[in-house]
Amino acid sequence: MAEASVRNHLHEAVAHAQVKEAGAHEGQQHPIKLYLVVWGWLFVLSACSYLVDYVGLQGYLRWSLILLFMVLKAGLIVAVFMHMAWERLALAYAIIVPPVLVLVFVALMVIEADHTLLTRTLFFGAAP
Amino acid sequence: MAETTFTQPPETAARPDGLRGVAADWASDQRAFKNVSWGKAMMWIFLLSDTFIFGCFLLSYMTARMSTVVPWPNPSEVFGLHIGGVSVPLLLIAIMTFVLISSSGTMAMAVNFGYRRERRKTALLMLATAALGATFVGMQAFEWTKLISEGVRPWGNPWGAEQFGASFFMITGFHGTHVTIGVIFLLIVARKVLRGDYDVARRGFFTSRKGNYESVEIMGLYWHFVDLVWVFIFAFFYLW
């Protein structure tokens, strides 16, 4: 529901931008209302992620909620505030695809960290 | 090999040699980003490189935290504040998050008013953004002071894993530096907007290039990126 309303606003704004482009083209012109709506959603999402800690959720529920709110916030900032939703796909791919490769690095370092922990536990007799 | 030479554009003029040739070859009109100015494309590419820097910091933090046999200090308690005898977890960090998001909102609107050529509103919104950014840095300074007085050092702390201090100072310090640079950058651009530099295409002091209101949007890209990085730091360092 939340996403749908944001998406509606995006569509409105895109339509608006296209009308603008037909006339005098000048930069990224979108209705102020769109920014205010996104601003409001960022507040709500931040409050949600703070509540995850405040309520004291633990384990996989906590981690998945943190990641969910983080990705939604990052997406809103990049798509609307940084206008990536209205840029050509060539630019969007050039900027957004390379950071995804960081996930490969994350996977490597998870394996490495597990190995380090294992050797520390085995050879230094420390309990994790 | 012969076929590839056919696909080359025909030679129109003799190419210059030496350093002049280097400049001419790199300056030829091949562009991938069709409707984006070089300034905006380069800001995006800079931000991409900055993403990798912060990505590496967060990765090293993850590796340290996953591989230590000593318990990691509980950020919820470490960054909590005592207000009227009640301990509120992460209170200062939550306020900092809202301050930075608000500054992103005012910046987005400044870009909008810039393209509408309402320079008073643009400059005022940029100054509001700078003020919120400075507030953020001030609260970060308070947080650092508090933690240092409690004995947090890059090589140790009273609560657990020694890597906590190093990760904390490195990540938040680098982010705070970015915010500080952003505030300075904002003040410079706001002054130019207020003076009407972008209406008359006055030449800049450093590159002598003519400015336009796209500079406000490029400035905005940097500022939103700083907010974006905070989203990840908040999630991984403070909440995890």
Side-chain angles (χ1 to χ4, degrees):
Chain A
M1 192 185 72
E3 269 180 288
S5 100
V6 171
R7 200 175 300 140
N8 275 345
H9 285 292
L10 279 177
H11 281 303
E12 274 171 37
V14 170
H16 184 85
Q18 279 158 355
V19 170
K20 279 276 175 186
E21 261 177 351
H25 173 76
E26 187 168 38
Q28 296 270 0
Q29 278 276 29
H30 311 294
I32 291 286
K33 191 186 164 205
L34 172 72
Y35 295 117
L36 292 175
V37 168
V38 169
W39 194 353
W41 274 112
L42 288 175
F43 259 79
V44 171
L45 291 170
S46 296
C48 287
S49 47
Y50 177 61
L51 279 178
V52 169
D53 188 65
Y54 195 83
V55 174
L57 299 175
Q58 295 300 334
Y60 285 108
L61 180 63
R62 177 192 184 93
W63 296 327
S64 47
L65 282 178
I66 291 173
L67 288 179
L68 174 71
F69 294 136
M70 178 191 84
V71 169
L72 287 177
K73 278 166 74 180
L76 280 178
I77 293 172
V78 174
V80 181
F81 279 180
M82 299 173 95
H83 300 140
M84 201 47 123
W86 299 279
E87 300 291 0
R88 286 185 62 78
L89 215 49
L91 179 67
Y93 282 179
I95 303 301
I96 293 170
V97 173
V100 175
L101 298 179
V102 171
L103 293 179
V104 178
F105 201 175
V106 172
L108 290 176
M109 294 317 288
V110 167
I111 297 168
E112 166 77 16
D114 279 344
H115 176 74
T116 310
L117 182 62
L118 180 71
T119 50
R120 280 177 178 165
T121 317
L122 284 182
F123 298 106
F124 297 107
Chain B
M1 287 308 279
E3 281 146 308
T4 49
T5 48
F6 278 115
T7 60
Q8 295 292 319
E11 299 277 318
T12 48
R15 297 206 185 281
D17 290 324
L19 275 179
R20 191 169 291 276
V22 172
D25 286 3
W26 279 95
S28 43
D29 59 348
Q30 296 136 12
R31 49 187 296 190
F33 306 128
K34 306 294 182 197
N35 60 345
V36 172
S37 71
W38 64 268
K40 199 157 138 186
M42 285 303 123
M43 178 52 89
W44 269 115
I45 288 166
F46 164 71
L47 295 181
L48 178 60
S49 67
D50 233 13
T51 307
F52 290 128
I53 291 183
F54 280 105
C56 288
F57 287 164
L58 287 170
L59 259 170
S60 58
Y61 150 71
M62 179 198 82
T63 310
R65 185 165 171 173
M66 279 183 77
S67 61
T68 177
V69 288
V70 184
W72 197 259
N74 182 358
S76 188
E77 288 162 18
V78 173
F79 299 107
L81 282 188
H82 291 275
I83 305 244
V86 189
S87 171
V88 189
L90 285 184
L91 181 63
L92 186 68
I93 311 302
I95 298 171
M96 283 162 78
T97 303
F98 288 120
V99 167
L100 209 55
I101 284 175
S102 299
S103 77
S104 245
T106 52
M107 186 70 230
M109 296 203 291
V111 173
N112 208 281
F113 282 117
Y115 280 131
R116 292 174 195 200
R117 299 186 170 268
E118 296 185 37
R119 60 187 163 94
R120 265 194 79 78
K121 276 188 190 166
T122 309
L124 283 177
L125 280 165
M126 291 186 85
L127 291 176
T129 310
L132 287 166
T135 310
F136 178 89
V137 177
M139 292 199 286
Q140 198 169 46
F142 173 79
E143 187 196 19
W144 275 47
T145 313
K146 180 171 170 285
L147 285 192
I148 291 170
S149 71
E150 286 169 353
V152 180
R153 298 289 183 275
W155 53 86
N157 65 73
W159 311 292
E162 291 170 340
Q163 298 97 325
F164 174 82
S167 305
F168 172 77
F169 289 123
M170 189 75 190
I171 294 173
T172 63
F174 221 78
H175 179 262
T177 310
H178 275 73
V179 179
T180 310
I181 293 169
V183 169
I184 296 166
F185 194 3
L186 271 166
L187 293 176
I188 293 172
V189 178
R191 175 167 174 265
K192 283 164 167 280
V193 169
L194 205 57
R195 206 166 53 177
D197 284 14
Y198 298 137
D199 289 319
V200 298
R202 176 171 163 159
R203 290 184 182 275
F205 65 95
F206 185 59
T207 56
S208 345
R209 282 179 180 278
K210 290 175 180 172
N212 60 44
Y213 279 100
E214 197 184 36
S215 305
V216 181
E217 192 189 350
I218 294 171
M219 164 74 244
L221 285 180
Y222 178 82
W223 191 260
H224 296 311
F225 175 77
V226 166
D227 186 25
L228 188 64
V229 170
W230 184 253
V231 169
F232 289 88
I233 295 176
F234 183 59
F236 290 129
F237 198 87
Y238 292 101
L239 290 179
W240 204 256

